[in-house]
Amino acid sequence: MNYEFTIVVPVYNEEDNLKRVEQELSKYIKIAAKKTKVLFVNDGSKDKSQLLIEEICANNADFTFIQFEKNCGLSAAIAAGFNNVDTELVGYIDSDLQTAPEDFNLLLEHITEYDLVTGVRANRKDSFVKNMSSTIANGIRRTFTHDGMDDTGCPLKIIKTEYAKKIPMFNGLHRFLPAMILLQNGSIKQIPVQHFPRIAGEAKYGLWNRLLGPLMDCFAYLWMKKKYINYNIAKKG
């Protein structure tokens, strides 16, 4: 099939969510603005996630998977997804489904004009501590990156694959995807999307991951920005 868009779904111990992920993404594929397929990236889950992923992929031709040997983290899972897609566009959504797959269509409306389109979680349904730590972390990150983005932690993004494959990923850099597109002289846009409370499973990140960790990652980003190599091939022979 001539797929145009791949949705990467990082998974780490999400056995209680995966059947709902199958249902919601299957529904989205039927209404997607682009011919869409799904790529699960199992980040070394220790529960029954892999068994469920294989069942889902066996029953759905539009679903495939990669399984890590061990847990490597969200940035690694996203990077592996980006590196293993063959469609013009790549996006990702978290397997907790706190964002809605149908909102990918809102982002797709703008991807022709921009190289990355990211969601901004409107009326977030998270705890006060999580919301405040995220707000502070985003403010710190904007000070370092000047990317103008309000919510880089939103797990609903679409990127032109040619840009996604040129992003050098390291732990924590998933928070800096818009900034990394700007380093490639690309263009970015943010669009409000729906947000929902987590229904099943457990959040994988605490205060350190949401606040102190991102602060340290800002210094890693500044080093990356200074050392980043950007080039475009004009001709091949």
Side-chain angles (χ1 to χ4, degrees):
M1 294 186 184
N2 295 319
Y3 293 103
E4 302 167 281
F5 176 39
T6 303
I7 299 173
V8 174
V9 185
V11 176
Y12 181 61
N13 293 342
E14 293 285 1
E15 63 181 5
D16 294 330
N17 277 315
L18 285 170
K19 283 298 183 182
R20 191 164 66 95
V21 170
E22 177 187 16
Q23 293 169 1
E24 294 302 315
L25 285 174
S26 294
K27 285 195 296 185
Y28 171 67
I29 286 172
K30 294 177 182 177
I31 64 164
K34 301 280 188 181
K35 181 64 178 174
T36 300
K37 62 180 176 178
V38 175
L39 174 61
F40 288 112
V41 182
N42 183 0
D43 182 22
S45 296
K46 298 177 176 63
D47 61 0
K48 297 179 181 177
S49 290
Q50 182 59 28
L51 178 63
L52 291 169
I53 287 171
E54 292 188 27
E55 289 179 358
I56 292 168
C57 293
N59 294 328
N60 298 273
D62 298 320
F63 287 68
T64 57
F65 72 87
I66 324 169
Q67 180 185 18
F68 283 179
E69 290 183 346
K70 61 180 182 180
N71 176 243
C72 297
L74 179 58
S75 289
I78 293 171
F82 288 176
N83 290 334
N84 283 275
V85 301
D86 56 5
T87 51
E88 180 182 355
L89 299 172
V90 59
Y92 84 88
I93 188 170
D94 278 355
S95 49
D96 59 16
L97 288 185
Q98 286 192 256
T99 50
E102 61 262 31
D103 283 348
F104 274 123
N105 279 353
L106 298 177
L107 307 189
L108 285 169
E109 290 178 13
H110 302 274
I111 197 62
T112 301
E113 300 174 65
Y114 296 90
D115 303 307
L116 173 146
V117 184
T118 181
V120 178
R121 290 168 286 190
N123 301 314
R124 285 186 65 174
K125 301 300 190 293
D126 288 323
S127 68
F128 174 79
V129 171
K130 187 173 181 179
N131 283 336
M132 281 302 299
S133 60
S134 179
T135 299
I136 294 169
N138 273 301
I140 294 170
R141 179 196 42 73
R142 279 196 304 271
T143 300
F144 278 79
T145 65
H146 305 289
D147 62 10
M149 297 288 103
D150 297 316
D151 185 17
T152 60
C154 178
L156 199 75
K157 290 179 172 62
I158 297 177
I159 310 174
K160 289 178 179 171
T161 301
E162 62 181 299
Y163 284 83
K165 288 183 179 292
K166 291 170 66 175
I167 297 173
M169 300 291 285
F170 58 83
N171 285 336
L173 196 62
H174 60 273
R175 303 180 184 95
F176 297 85
L177 292 177
M180 295 307 297
I181 299 303
L182 292 178
L183 284 185
Q184 298 181 47
N185 299 319
S187 55
I188 61 178
K189 185 176 180 66
Q190 56 185 2
I191 301 292
V193 297
Q194 302 173 84
H195 190 247
F196 306 94
R198 177 184 267 272
I199 294 176
E202 297 180 355
K204 307 303 186 294
Y205 302 100
L207 182 62
W208 167 263
N209 301 95
R210 288 195 295 266
L211 186 56
L212 300 179
L215 175 59
M216 296 181 64
D217 293 338
C218 284
F219 293 101
Y221 166 77
L222 290 181
W223 178 88
M224 178 66 68
K225 181 177 180 180
K226 184 177 181 180
K227 300 291 185 180
Y228 186 73
I229 296 173
N230 187 36
Y231 65 89
N232 290 297
I233 296 174
K235 192 174 183 180
K236 288 183 179 180

